[in-house]
Amino acid sequence: MSENIYVERAVERHDWQLDEVQALFAMPFNDLIFRAQTIHRHSFDPNEIQISSLLSIKTGACSEDCGYCPQSAHHDADLKPEALLPLSDVIQAAKRAQAQGASRFCMGAAWRQPKDKDIERVVEMVQEVKALGMETCVTLGMLTDQQTQRLKAGGLDYYNHNLDTSEDYYSEVITTRTYQDRLDTLERVRDAGINVCCGGIVGMGESDQDRAKLLIQLANLPKHPESVPINMLVQVEGTPLMGSDNLDPLLFVRMIAVARIMLPRSRVRLSAGRTSMSDELQALCFLAGANSIFYGDKLLTTDNPMTEHDQRLFQRLGVYAGGSSYA
Ligand code: SAM
Ligand code: DTB
Ligand code: SF4
């Protein structure tokens, strides 16, 4: 039996090495899940799940070439581009999400980087959504120092900016911005005092080592992201990553469990890809330490499980919506 698994505490470390992370991934499944769940219980109510709803506030025609993304102008997905939404549409969507039980509203824009005048419009949206009593999150691409400070002053709670994969695999997926560009934006967001939401995507043809290295990048940041979305690639017709080999679902659960162990106080978010997961697989992900989801019938441009289905799943599992980012 693994040593000390009954007494493990949620210790935050920033010096993870590849061999020890690979050893976590290689543990017998039962030991790994038990260890992750034990750590989870030190920081969190194990039956409480934070739920956020997403809205695409500016859709498509993006100048980046991210291989997974239907919104890239470089690809040929069947998607109608849309300009930045009017404030009233955003408020209406936020009210609907709140009525359905979401505690955080996340607004995503298909930009490489916003212009300063875009930031002013987004700040208005943040202020109006906050006035409803919801937490706010935005994901807008790369930011300058001035822009992060403006968003902070406007009251933004979270900024989502993903590393997506390991530094080694990155150039297979995106060529129009660098890994370092992403790390620089994350540092600016952190320095401005905004909570960080940062994770990645699996199922893009990456190796076991790439998945381990992504988690090492996240855990070895100076401060752990408060929210860590783990997305399963949603394969979209017309994108270069359409047709990628599916990841073994049990490897996905292992990814969640290792994330929980390495990022013991972060919200690990079971993110894109839930429509292709059984309820039982999602239940295993929660057991492995996932404790937040995206909720509502749509992610940004693709489908998410129907809210009624998620409500029924919560009932069947005896879990409930609640909580914020940090334990
Ligand atoms: N344009 C901004 C950016 O990329 O920073 C913000 C929006 S972008 C759509 C937000 C994140 O969604 C990406 O970083 C990626 O991790 C995730 N994403 C996009 N398409 C996806 C897909 N098909 N499957 C899974 N995750 C996806
Ligand atoms: C994240 O990590 N996943 C969300 C959110 N952050 C912005 C987005 C998933 C997008 C899936 C593809 C789509 O719907 O366009
Ligand atoms: Fe653009 Fe973001 Fe999609 Fe990349 S992930 S193509 S930056 S919208």
Side-chain angles (χ1 to χ4, degrees):
M1 184 182 300
S2 319
E3 71 294 347
N4 291 334
I5 61 177
Y6 295 108
V7 292
E8 192 136 26
R9 293 290 183 272
V11 180
E12 278 190 41
R13 284 180 47 199
H14 301 267
D15 59 353
W16 288 92
Q17 303 296 314
L18 185 58
D19 55 350
E20 56 180 335
V21 178
Q22 286 175 325
L24 287 176
F25 271 100
M27 281 173 78
F29 189 81
N30 290 346
D31 288 349
L32 176 64
I33 302 304
F34 184 84
R35 185 163 174 183
Q37 177 65 205
T38 305
I39 287 176
H40 190 171
R41 283 166 186 260
H42 282 295
S43 300
F44 293 103
D45 171 346
N47 300 311
E48 179 243 85
I49 294 191
Q50 187 276 328
I51 63 178
S52 299
S53 287
L54 282 164
L55 176 70
S56 180
I57 56 171
K58 185 269 168 189
T59 304
C62 181
S63 62
E64 302 272 357
D65 69 352
C66 311
Y68 46 77
C69 186
Q71 304 202 64
S72 167
H74 299 255
H75 317 325
D76 198 16
D78 179 20
L79 184 81
K80 194 166 126 271
E82 273 177 48
L84 190 61
L85 291 180
L87 183 60
S88 56
D89 288 12
V90 175
I91 301 168
Q92 205 182 10
K95 282 185 178 160
R96 199 166 49 236
Q98 188 177 36
Q100 286 172 337
S103 62
R104 188 178 310 155
F105 194 61
C106 305
M107 296 164 267
W111 285 318
R112 171 179 165 75
Q113 53 196 133
K115 301 190 180 72
D116 289 346
K117 71 173 193 327
D118 298 325
I119 293 285
E120 291 310 314
R121 297 209 28 211
V122 171
V123 164
E124 268 181 6
M125 293 173 185
V126 166
Q127 286 170 340
E128 294 285 335
V129 173
K130 264 183 100 78
L132 301 174
M134 297 183 88
E135 290 183 319
T136 52
C137 176
V138 298
T139 178
L140 315 171
M142 292 185 284
L143 298 177
T144 64
D145 275 328
Q146 213 189 354
Q147 291 175 333
T148 50
Q149 283 154 18
R150 181 70 190 100
L151 288 167
K152 174 67 183 173
L156 179 68
D157 297 301
Y158 290 82
Y159 195 79
N160 167 246
H161 198 67
N162 290 337
L163 287 173
D164 281 347
T165 187
S166 70
E167 188 163 15
D168 301 343
Y169 195 63
Y170 184 83
S171 61
E172 301 289 321
V173 181
I174 298 136
T175 69
T176 48
R177 78 173 112 150
T178 66
Y179 211 69
Q180 191 58 48
D181 288 333
R182 290 184 187 248
L183 291 167
D184 291 347
T185 293
L186 288 168
E187 193 178 329
R188 291 193 179 105
V189 171
R190 184 53 91 201
D191 288 350
I194 300 168
N195 291 307
V196 173
C197 173
C198 180
I201 311 177
V202 298
M204 299 194 295
E206 74 287 338
S207 65
D208 292 347
Q209 183 167 309
D210 291 315
R211 287 185 286 275
K213 284 189 170 177
L214 168 63
L215 293 180
I216 291 171
Q217 282 284 349
L218 294 167
N220 290 356
L221 288 170
K223 194 169 176 218
H224 290 173
E226 283 76 9
S227 162
V228 178
I230 305 293
N231 296 276
M232 177 78 102
L233 174 69
V234 178
Q235 298 202 11
V236 183
E237 206 71 59
T239 59
L241 290 180
M242 177 72 203
S244 300
D245 287 344
N246 286 324
L247 185 71
D248 170 2
L250 293 181
L251 273 183
F252 185 80
V253 180
R254 284 181 183 270
M255 180 79 184
I256 299 273
V258 177
R260 166 50 64 227
I261 292 167
M262 293 173 68
L263 299 152
R265 283 160 51 78
S266 305
R267 285 271 167 193
V268 174
R269 190 175 303 276
L270 174 55
S271 303
R274 290 196 301 117
T275 49
S276 64
M277 295 178 196
S278 67
D279 288 350
E280 295 79 6
L281 175 57
Q282 294 183 61
L284 266 182
C285 291
F286 296 137
L287 191 63
N291 63 347
S292 52
I293 58 166
F294 288 120
Y295 174 75
D297 306 350
K298 255 213 149 71
L299 291 164
L300 289 173
T301 66
T302 64
D303 289 343
N304 200 38
M306 305 294 280
T307 50
E308 297 74 22
H309 188 99
D310 278 341
Q311 282 164 6
R312 176 85 189 108
L313 177 61
F314 273 36
Q315 259 176 17
R316 288 167 69 209
L317 298 177
V319 299
Y320 38 83
S324 186
S325 64
Y326 239 45

